[in-house]
Amino acid sequence: MIVDHHIDRIAPKGAGTEPALMEIVNSAEVVPLHPTAVPDNEAEPDVALYAARKHIYPQRVTGTFRRIKWIVLLVSLGIYYLMPFVRWDRGPNVPGQAVLVDLAGGRFYFFFIEIWPQEIYYLTGLLIIAAVTLFLMNAVAGRVWCGYLCPQTVWTDLFQTIERWFEGDRREHLLRDNTPWSFDRVARAGAKHFLWLMVAWWTGGAWVLYFADAPTLIKELAALQAPLVAYVWIGILTFTTYTLAGQMREQVCLYMCPWPRIQAALTDEHALNVAYRYSRGEPRGSVKKAAVLRAQGQPVGDCIDCLQCVHVCPTGVDIRNGPDLGCIQCGLCIDACDTVMAKIGRPPRLIAYDTDLNIKRSPGNAPEFRIVRARTILYTAIIAAVGTVMLYSLATRRAEAVSAIHDRNPVFVRLSDGAVRNAFTMRVLNMSLETRTFELTVEGLADAHLDIVGNAATAGGRTLVVVGPDQTRELRALVTTYQHLPPFASIPLTFRLVDTDNGAQASVTDNFRGP
Ligand code: SF4
Ligand code: SF4
C-alpha cells in the first residue's frame, strides 16, 4: 500500500498511534520520487500557474522541537495577553501601566522608560535593530523566526490545537470531513469556530488594552461606554485573527508574506535550515525491503517513505524534495522522523537543521558549521552599534528641553519709542515626574529685554516658568532692544532655561531680525 497525505489515499485506521505507525512503516512501498540523490532543479517539469488549495490536516507530533514551540507559544501569548495588566508605579498623575501607548497624552511608556513624541528616533532605532536581528537569525538558522516566533505561526498553532480538541487528530478529521453533515459534525465544527472567535476576540481586546489603562477600559467596554474606536479595533483584530489563523493559515506564509522571498535572497550555504539528508535517506524503501536489500549487500537508505514528516507539516511541504519556500523551518518533521527512526532502530536526524554545504558534502566528509562569518559579524556589529547609541542616548537623556519658533509675520515690530521687538512662541518641557521651576534668560543681544506673556512669573528681575510633572508649557516670548541695528540685521539669540533647584540647563537658538 502506498501511504500518501492526499485525502483519497489515507493511512489505515489508527494511524498516529504506535501500532498503526508500525503498520505504515512495514507496509510502505518504494516510491521513486527522486531519480537522483539530490533534486535536479534544471529539469523542472511544466506546472500550471494556478493550483487549487489543498486542505492541510497536520498530524500531532511530539519531540524536542514541538516542546520548544509549546514553550515559545505559551511565553509569547502569555506576554501579549497579560502585559496590559502589569502595573508600574511612576508617581501621582502619571499612568501606572507598565506598557502603554498614550496617544492622547503623546507618550509611550515602557516600564521605567518614557518616550516623548520628539524622541521617536528611538522607535527608528528599535526598527533597525529588529530588522537586522531578523537578518542575523536568518544567516544563522534560516527562517527560525517564521517557525517559532512569527505571530502568524503562533496563532495558527494555537488555532490548530483548538481544532484538534474538537475534530480529532489528522486521520479522524480527514474521515469526518468526508462524511455527510450530521449533528455531531455540525456541533464539533460549531464549537471549534466559536472558540476560535473567542480567541480572536480576546486577541483584539488585548490589543486595545495597550492604548488605555487596561482595568478602566475593560469596565468601560463592559458597560458599552468605551470610545467607539476601541470597539472598531477589537472588531478589526477579531476578524483578521480569525481569518488569518483559522481560515487562511499556511496560505499567508505561502502567498502573502514577503519574508520567504527576502529570506531566500539573504541566505547562504552556511545557514542552518531544516533539510533532508539525501545521502543517508536514499534510496528509500519499506523496512522489509530495506532489510532484504541490506542482506543482499545492496545500497539502501534510512527513509522508509512513511510520509510522517509530510503529515505533521503545517504547510504541507515534503522536505525530501529539497529546500522549499513553503517550509517555515519549524522542525516538526524532524520530530516526526526521529520518532520513526527510533522505532526502526536507526540513528535520529535523518531530517535535521543542517547547512546546504553539508547536505551536498560527500559521505564520509566531516560536516562543517561556520556561524562566525562576514555577514554574521556585520549584522552583529550593526546591532551592537545601534544598541550602544540608543543606550548612551537613554542614559544621558535630559529631563528638560526648550524650543522656540520665530513669528513669521511680522518678523519684527518697530515700537513708537524706536525699539525693535521680535516675538517667539516657546515651549518648555519638563520630562521629570516632579514640578520644576525654571529661569528663562536670553543671550546674544547686550541690552535685550525679555517679556513673557502669561504663564510666567517675575521675581527679583528673573523670569520664572513653573512646569508640572511630565508636562509642557507654551509661552509667548517678546524680545526688545534699543540697540542700533545694521540694515537687515539677523543676530543669533540663545534662550537659556535653568532649573532653579539643581541647575540643569537646556537652550535653543534663533535669530533676532531687524529692519
Ligand atoms: S524522512 Fe523520515 S518521516 Fe519522512 S518519509 Fe522518510 S522515514 Fe518517514
Ligand atoms: S518541512 Fe518540516 S520544518 Fe518545514 S514547515 Fe514542514 S514540518 Fe516545518
Side-chain angles (χ1 to χ4, degrees), residues 274 309 312-319 326-334:
V274 173
C309 51
V312 301
C313 179
T315 56
V317 166
D318 185 345
I319 197 65
C327 172
I328 58 169
Q329 309 276 322
C330 65
L332 296 183
C333 53
I334 303 178

Side-chain angles (χ1 to χ4, degrees), residues 314-396:
T315 56
V317 166
D318 185 345
I319 197 65
R320 298 173 303 165
N321 292 340
D324 194 309
L325 278 185
C327 172
I328 58 169
Q329 309 276 322
C330 65
L332 296 183
C333 53
I334 303 178
D335 284 340
C337 191
D338 279 357
T339 307
V340 175
M341 291 298 112
K343 289 179 193 305
I344 63 171
R346 302 297 297 166
R349 298 295 191 266
L350 172 56
I351 301 175
Y353 279 98
D354 208 342
T355 66
D356 274 3
L357 220 55
N358 288 336
I359 292 297
K360 290 174 181 163
R361 197 173 295 273
S362 307
N365 285 355
E368 182 189 322
F369 297 100
R370 277 184 54 206
I371 288 180
V372 181
R373 51 191 198 277
R375 68 174 64 198
T376 55
I377 293 171
L378 176 68
Y379 295 151
T380 310
I382 293 173
I383 294 167
V386 177
T388 306
V389 169
M390 285 178 66
L391 283 176
Y392 176 78
S393 153
L394 266 177
T396 57

Side-chain angles (χ1 to χ4, degrees), residues 24-75:
I24 298 168
V25 161
N26 290 325
S27 64
E29 284 179 12
V30 176
V31 180
L33 292 178
H34 310 285
T36 56
V38 179
D40 180 3
N41 291 330
E42 287 170 13
E44 283 181 8
D46 287 343
V47 288
L49 292 177
Y50 173 77
R53 183 182 181 185
K54 252 190 250 167
H55 194 89
I56 293 169
Y57 299 83
Q59 186 170 294
R60 197 175 67 84
V61 65
T62 55
T64 309
F65 297 101
R66 182 61 264 184
R67 271 195 295 281
I68 294 172
K69 277 176 71 69
W70 281 133
I71 293 167
V72 173
L73 183 145
L74 288 174
V75 171

Side-chain angles (χ1 to χ4, degrees), residues 38-371:
V38 179
D40 180 3
N41 291 330
E42 287 170 13
E44 283 181 8
D46 287 343
V47 288
L49 292 177
Y50 173 77
R53 183 182 181 185
K54 252 190 250 167
H55 194 89
I56 293 169
Y57 299 83
Q59 186 170 294
R60 197 175 67 84
V61 65
T62 55
T64 309
F65 297 101
R66 182 61 264 184
R67 271 195 295 281
I68 294 172
K69 277 176 71 69
W70 281 133
I71 293 167
V72 173
L73 183 145
L74 288 174
V75 171
S76 55
L77 289 185
I79 290 173
Y80 175 74
Y81 287 121
L82 299 178
M83 185 59 82
F85 300 99
V86 177
R87 305 286 97 188
W88 192 265
D89 185 11
R90 300 185 179 88
N93 306 319
V94 187
Q97 188 159 311
V99 180
L100 177 68
V101 182
D102 182 1
L103 291 177
R107 304 281 188 280
F108 170 57
Y109 298 96
F110 186 81
F111 293 92
F112 59 91
I113 300 172
E114 181 187 338
I115 305 292
W116 285 51
Q118 67 271 22
E119 296 174 310
I120 199 71
Y121 52 83
Y122 284 115
L123 181 64
T124 311
L126 278 179
L127 288 176
I128 293 172
I129 289 179
V132 182
T133 303
L134 211 52
F135 294 173
L136 178 62
M137 288 162 92
N138 175 62
V140 174
R143 289 172 66 187
V144 68
W145 160 265
C146 305
Y148 297 85
L149 288 160
C150 171
Q152 174 64 21
T153 298
V154 172
W155 262 280
T156 299
D157 214 3
L158 176 65
F159 275 50
Q160 284 174 344
T161 305
I162 292 171
E163 185 171 66
R164 278 193 206 101
W165 292 346
F166 296 102
E167 306 270 20
D169 204 357
R170 172 186 161 77
R171 183 180 172 280
E172 190 186 337
H173 192 184
L174 263 165
L175 287 175
R176 184 174 295 107
D177 276 7
N178 282 282
T179 56
W181 282 100
S182 62
F183 176 77
D184 175 66
R185 198 174 158 199
V186 170
R188 284 172 184 275
K192 175 184 79 176
H193 286 284
F194 175 75
L195 200 54
W196 277 1
L197 277 169
M198 287 299 97
V199 173
W201 170 73
W202 185 237
T203 302
W207 175 256
V208 299
L209 297 183
Y210 284 91
F211 294 85
D213 180 63
T216 311
L217 184 57
I218 285 177
K219 282 184 206 145
E220 289 174 355
L221 285 167
L224 299 180
Q225 288 172 344
L228 178 64
V229 69
Y231 296 103
V232 170
W233 273 106
I234 291 174
I236 290 173
L237 279 143
T238 303
F239 173 75
T240 52
T241 308
Y242 173 79
T243 307
L244 298 181
Q247 303 295 337
M248 296 186 68
R249 302 178 175 192
E250 81 289 345
Q251 302 286 297
V252 176
C253 310
L254 296 177
Y255 303 115
M256 290 171 66
C257 178
W259 179 235
R261 283 86 192 162
I262 299 169
Q263 185 264 350
L266 285 171
T267 197
D268 66 8
E269 69 276 19
H270 294 287
L272 285 168
N273 285 301
V274 173
Y276 170 67
R277 290 178 163 146
Y278 300 97
S279 57
R280 209 192 111 184
E282 302 294 327
R284 65 187 76 162
S286 72
V287 173
K288 281 180 189 165
K289 288 192 175 176
V292 172
L293 290 173
R294 271 201 194 94
Q296 293 170 351
Q298 294 193 41
V300 58
D302 280 347
C303 177
I304 57 168
D305 213 21
C306 62
L307 290 178
Q308 291 298 300
C309 51
V310 184
H311 291 167
V312 301
C313 179
T315 56
V317 166
D318 185 345
I319 197 65
R320 298 173 303 165
N321 292 340
D324 194 309
L325 278 185
C327 172
I328 58 169
Q329 309 276 322
C330 65
L332 296 183
C333 53
I334 303 178
D335 284 340
C337 191
D338 279 357
T339 307
V340 175
M341 291 298 112
K343 289 179 193 305
I344 63 171
R346 302 297 297 166
R349 298 295 191 266
L350 172 56
I351 301 175
Y353 279 98
D354 208 342
T355 66
D356 274 3
L357 220 55
N358 288 336
I359 292 297
K360 290 174 181 163
R361 197 173 295 273
S362 307
N365 285 355
E368 182 189 322
F369 297 100
R370 277 184 54 206
I371 288 180

